[in-house]
Amino acid sequence: MSAARWTLLLFSAGAAHALTLNAVSQRLDAQDAQTLTLEFDLPPPAPHHFRLHAPEREVFDFDASTPAAMRQSLRFADSPLLALQWLSDGDRSRLIASLRADATLEHHLVERVLTLRVLPGPETQRISLDLQNIELRRLLTLLASVGRIDIVADESVGGTMSLKLARTTWRDALELVLQEKGLQQRRYGSALMVATAAQWSTRDKATQEAARQHAAMAPVHLRRFVLRHRPAEEVKTLIAAKTEKQGGLLSERGSVLADTRTNALLVRDTDAVIDEIADLVAGTDVALRQVLIEARIVEVNASFSRELGARLDFARYPGIQSSLDATAGGPAAHTVDLPASVAFGSIATLLRPGLGTRIGLELQAMQARGEGRVVSHPRLLISDRNEALIEEGSTIPYTVATERNTYTTSFRKAVLSLRVKPHISPANLIQLDIDISKDTPDFNRRVEGGVVLDTRHLTSQVQIDNGGTVVIGGILVEENSQRAREIPWLADLPVLGALFRNRQARRQSRELLVFITPQIVEAGQNLRDGAP
């Protein structure tokens, strides 16, 4: 152990004397006792000694002061002595020895040397055994004496054993003996009972048989449980799924009925079973947490998609300011470029909580500049682990021929569909199962009985903070149109007719962006319009 050098100032007869701690050393004896020797250059005053509990500490107070600069602390690994501290407390100095709960400390001061002897407790004290053909019951008695614990050996325990162990704790030695002889231990209060595995099996069967006979003779009572949150039929299914004999709650004489009118359960069984059912009802009849799902479905020009992403992507990097934080009309402090194109079905970005209002302002400015439009902005409240469905679009008629050469008209949805299913984790993170589909009729391609629908489908799963926003892009919409303007007759003239006609072909690409912001709604929380 490395030596430490501490200085202690003693005040005697009005004069200050410097007491120097020359060395600190330690050694272990055959009983695993840790001995520390603190050697001073002058005899220290007799300390005032007392013990504190929880945690265990031995305190030595010296009637002398120590400068704050001389405070020291030593820590020990794999030792009954955990730490040694030298502190200044006004006109006194304090030595604190922190011990394990089962360790004891002896101290002795002779002139300039303070000796601390730390004795390990039975849990950490190591023993060495070299025994030949010792009776097993006598060996258990020896280990009980070392461990300071009561051990009761069953009549089935017998035989002899030879072992040689070096520096092993009594508990490890006991485990080795039990494993070698096929024995098992069980704790009853502060005592251990040891028996063979067959004996324990016989006792367990007898205990179960006694419990079964007691349950068969116990009286049956009727109890009514009124449920407040879950349907009675659901809880009845949980209780009546199996009988007690098959591992369920109800005993062989028990029954359960559901009163759907009052949403109550009527349970008839023994008091012990009814108490278990009461615990089940209390744990399962709880209100589901709710999530406010706010979705913004935005259709923007393909060129504007990248620009919007660059202004919003700052939120993934805390501390970066962007144009959203700038004053009205002011320049952006920082922007982050995104790739020129976003892969189909990919998640564009995750935005941190608290940006719902800022995103709304950005989208309003987008519509004012004519660079896109908000197709839909629904807000709905849904329970945890339930599915929310949002649809926006129309129905397309198509004709179907029957076997008798008759025709019927049916309708097919051509809508933008958004399905969201939230899962709240114990850490208040929200996992979203997202399903987005976009069906668009292509009137330029007609088939017998109707038109062709262009389908785009996206499925994703993302985990997000409470109040954060996930932005999903990659659904591209292309519009091709042709426009012709001409002067009749003159436009049909050879060569010169090109001067009297004008044909324009227009191709426009747009991208569909979906902003989804989930927020956990606590009980009694007031939801205001426009709240993020």
Side-chain angles (χ1 to χ4, degrees), residues 237-351:
T237 303
L238 294 177
I239 297 174
K242 295 181 180 179
T243 63
E244 184 183 26
K245 185 176 180 181
Q246 299 172 324
L249 293 178
L250 290 178
S251 66
E252 295 180 356
R253 297 185 295 162
S255 62
V256 58
L257 296 175
D259 184 3
T260 56
R261 181 179 179 184
T262 59
N263 198 37
L265 290 176
L266 302 176
V267 180
R268 184 185 298 274
D269 215 315
T270 62
D271 290 338
V273 175
I274 289 178
D275 291 341
E276 293 182 1
I277 294 177
D279 294 339
L280 173 66
V281 171
T284 57
D285 185 30
V286 294
L288 291 177
R289 303 180 71 181
Q290 298 189 85
V291 180
L292 176 65
I293 301 291
E294 181 178 8
R296 294 180 175 91
I297 303 174
V298 183
E299 193 177 80
V300 300
N301 297 334
S303 59
F304 179 73
S305 171
R306 178 181 179 182
E307 179 184 350
L308 177 63
R311 288 200 294 268
L312 293 181
D313 194 59
F314 82 100
R316 297 191 301 177
Y317 309 94
I320 298 180
Q321 298 289 329
S322 78
S323 61
L324 297 179
D325 295 325
T327 56
H334 295 280
T335 59
V336 180
D337 288 335
L338 292 182
S341 61
V342 180
F344 175 76
S346 64
I347 298 177
T349 187
L350 291 174
L351 305 180

Side-chain angles (χ1 to χ4, degrees), residues 283-424:
T284 57
D285 185 30
V286 294
L288 291 177
R289 303 180 71 181
Q290 298 189 85
V291 180
L292 176 65
I293 301 291
E294 181 178 8
R296 294 180 175 91
I297 303 174
V298 183
E299 193 177 80
V300 300
N301 297 334
S303 59
F304 179 73
S305 171
R306 178 181 179 182
E307 179 184 350
L308 177 63
R311 288 200 294 268
L312 293 181
D313 194 59
F314 82 100
R316 297 191 301 177
Y317 309 94
I320 298 180
Q321 298 289 329
S322 78
S323 61
L324 297 179
D325 295 325
T327 56
H334 295 280
T335 59
V336 180
D337 288 335
L338 292 182
S341 61
V342 180
F344 175 76
S346 64
I347 298 177
T349 187
L350 291 174
L351 305 180
R352 66 177 183 264
L355 294 178
T357 303
R358 298 182 180 182
I359 294 174
L361 295 175
E362 185 69 24
L363 296 181
Q364 289 180 9
M366 172 201 68
Q367 293 186 100
R369 294 192 298 267
E371 296 174 319
R373 66 188 183 95
V374 178
V375 178
S376 180
H377 184 189
R379 302 173 75 240
L380 48 90
L381 196 63
I382 185 173
S383 299
D384 182 27
R385 300 182 184 275
N386 287 314
E387 186 179 87
L389 173 63
I390 303 168
E391 289 185 342
E392 178 79 17
S394 59
T395 57
I396 304 297
Y398 63 94
T399 303
V400 178
T402 62
E403 296 179 354
R404 299 183 179 181
N405 294 327
T406 60
Y407 296 89
T408 60
T409 302
S410 300
F411 294 87
R412 180 182 176 183
K413 290 183 177 180
V415 298
L416 169 64
S417 174
L418 172 63
R419 296 178 183 270
V420 181
K421 186 176 183 180
H423 303 262
I424 303 176

Side-chain angles (χ1 to χ4, degrees), residues 409-469:
T409 302
S410 300
F411 294 87
R412 180 182 176 183
K413 290 183 177 180
V415 298
L416 169 64
S417 174
L418 172 63
R419 296 178 183 270
V420 181
K421 186 176 183 180
H423 303 262
I424 303 176
S425 71
N428 274 356
L429 296 176
I430 303 176
Q431 176 181 300
L432 296 178
D433 295 334
I434 303 172
D435 190 313
I436 304 175
S437 62
K438 171 69 173 177
D439 294 338
T440 305
D442 187 353
F443 294 101
N444 295 326
R445 294 186 297 165
R446 291 181 174 271
V447 296
E448 184 178 357
V451 298
V452 175
L453 292 181
D454 293 332
T455 300
R456 293 172 176 83
H457 188 205
L458 181 149
T459 301
S460 180
Q461 186 179 85
V462 63
Q463 183 169 285
I464 189 172
D465 293 331
N466 179 24
T469 300

Side-chain angles (χ1 to χ4, degrees), residues 184-264:
Q184 295 179 356
Q185 61 170 328
R186 294 188 183 180
R187 180 177 290 274
Y188 294 91
S190 60
L192 292 178
M193 187 169 181
V194 178
T196 62
Q199 185 65 21
W200 282 123
S201 178
T202 302
R203 293 191 179 193
D204 292 342
K205 290 180 180 178
T207 302
Q208 294 176 2
E209 181 62 21
R212 189 190 66 79
Q213 293 179 2
H214 176 74
M217 299 176 59
V220 176
H221 298 96
L222 178 65
R223 185 169 174 182
R224 182 171 177 265
F225 297 92
V226 179
L227 305 181
R228 305 178 61 181
H229 303 288
R230 297 192 64 177
E233 287 290 344
E234 289 186 6
V235 182
K236 174 189 173 183
T237 303
L238 294 177
I239 297 174
K242 295 181 180 179
T243 63
E244 184 183 26
K245 185 176 180 181
Q246 299 172 324
L249 293 178
L250 290 178
S251 66
E252 295 180 356
R253 297 185 295 162
S255 62
V256 58
L257 296 175
D259 184 3
T260 56
R261 181 179 179 184
T262 59
N263 198 37

